[in-house]
Amino acid sequence: QSVLTQPPSVSGTPGQTVTISCLGSNSNIRKSYVYWYQVLPGMAPKLLIYTNNQRPSGVPDRFSGSKSVTSAYLAIRGLRSEDEADYYCAAWDDSLSGRVVFGGGTRLTVL
Amino acid sequence: QVQVVQSGAEMKKPGASVRVSCQASGYNFTSYTTHWVRQAPGQTFEWMGWINAGDGHTKYSQKFQDRLTITSDTSASTAYMELSRLRSDDTAVYYCGRGYSGSNPKIDLWGQGALVTVS
C-alpha cells in the first residue's frame, strides 16, 4: 500500500489529453511540493515535473502538473505513442522522521 | 557528460551484506546530495536515504535505519550504499540519483540501476 495513491492504469488515443491523479494527505502533499517521474520500459526514471508544475529542460510542454490541497495531477496533452510509460508521483512526508514517498505508479497505454 | 554510473548486479545469500557504488561525473559531486531508491519486482519505488557529499550528512528512512549505511568518497565522486542482514525481500533494483539538499524529493539524474538478488 503506497502512501500516495495513483490509479493503476490510464489509457488514451493519440492526440487526446489524459490526467493522472496522485492522492496524498496532510503529512505529505499538503505541505510538500510534488514531483513526477516517467519510467519508460527498461529505463531508469526520468524527472518529468518538479515543484508541482515546473518542467526540466527538454520536457515538452505537453506535460503539466498541478496541485490542490492534498492531491496532485499530471496532465499529458496531445498524447503520443512515445508517452507510453509508467508515471510516479513523489513528495516529502513528515511522518516517521521524514522520508520521500512515492505513489504506486500509473501505467499509461496509448491505444 | 553529466551522468551517474552504478556498479553491476549482485547476488547475495540471506544474512549477507551488499555494497553498491554510484560514480558521478560532469558536475560538482559535493554540491548535491545522492539519493538511494529501490524498486522491488512489481512494486513501486521505495526511498532509502541520501547523503550530502559536501558535509557527509546523511538522512535515512526509518525503515532501513538499523541496517543501511550510505557513505561517499569525494576524491572519487562516488557514493556507496551498504545494506546489511539481507533478506529475500531485499531483492530489487537499487538506484542512486542526484538530489538537492533538505527535504527535497527532486532527483534529476538517475543511475542505470543495480539489480541485487538475495537468494
Side-chain angles (χ1 to χ4, degrees):
Chain A
Q1 194 83 0
S2 302
V3 175
L4 305 179
T5 301
Q6 298 180 233
S9 63
V10 296
S11 63
T13 56
Q16 275 190 328
T17 297
V18 296
T19 301
I20 298 171
S21 60
C22 174
L23 309 183
S25 68
N26 290 336
S27 66
N28 43 67
I29 292 182
R30 180 184 279 274
K31 298 179 181 178
S32 165
Y33 291 119
V34 177
Y35 300 76
W36 289 90
Y37 294 93
Q38 177 192 57
V39 184
L40 295 168
M43 303 290 287
K46 171 189 171 183
L47 179 66
L48 199 64
I49 297 287
Y50 64 97
T51 56
N52 300 335
N53 55 20
Q54 300 300 300
R55 287 184 306 278
S57 172
V59 173
D61 62 3
R62 301 186 297 106
F63 294 89
S64 62
S66 62
K67 181 183 122 169
S68 177
V69 191
T70 57
S71 299
Y73 304 90
L74 173 70
I76 309 172
R77 177 172 49 85
L79 206 57
R80 303 175 67 153
S81 58
E82 58 259 39
D83 299 332
E84 191 160 283
D86 294 329
Y87 294 85
Y88 294 84
C89 58
W92 183 261
D93 188 287
D94 276 352
S95 66
L96 301 178
S97 301
R99 54 181 178 157
V100 177
V101 292
F102 288 89
T106 299
R107 171 69 54 87
L108 168 63
T109 301
V110 181
L111 301 170
Chain B
Q1 185 178 0
V2 179
Q3 61 180 359
V4 289
V5 178
Q6 299 182 228
S7 49
E10 301 264 10
M11 183 162 289
K12 296 291 182 180
K13 293 192 181 303
S17 297
V18 68
R19 190 170 89 147
V20 179
S21 68
C22 172
Q23 185 171 36
S25 60
Y27 67 93
N28 187 345
F29 179 64
T30 58
S31 295
Y32 298 85
T33 61
T34 298
H35 287 264
W36 289 91
V37 177
R38 74 179 188 181
Q39 186 176 34
Q43 304 295 312
T44 187
F45 293 99
E46 185 171 34
W47 179 77
M48 302 178 72
W50 54 249
I51 185 165
N52 182 331
D55 60 12
H57 180 64
T58 55
K59 172 70 175 175
Y60 296 145
S61 167
Q62 210 172 73
K63 174 176 178 176
F64 301 102
Q65 184 80 37
D66 62 343
R67 59 191 189 105
L68 173 65
T69 304
I70 299 175
T71 57
S72 68
D73 178 351
T74 56
S75 67
S77 298
T78 300
Y80 302 91
M81 184 283 299
E82 182 167 5
L83 190 63
S84 63
R85 303 194 301 278
L86 290 169
R87 307 184 294 255
S88 58
D89 62 358
D90 290 318
T91 294
V93 177
Y94 288 75
Y95 292 97
C96 66
R98 184 176 75 173
Y100 296 76
S101 61
S103 310
N104 192 335
K106 180 182 181 181
I107 303 173
D108 66 354
L109 184 67
W110 292 70
Q112 79 276 22
L115 174 62
V116 174
T117 303
V118 183
S119 176

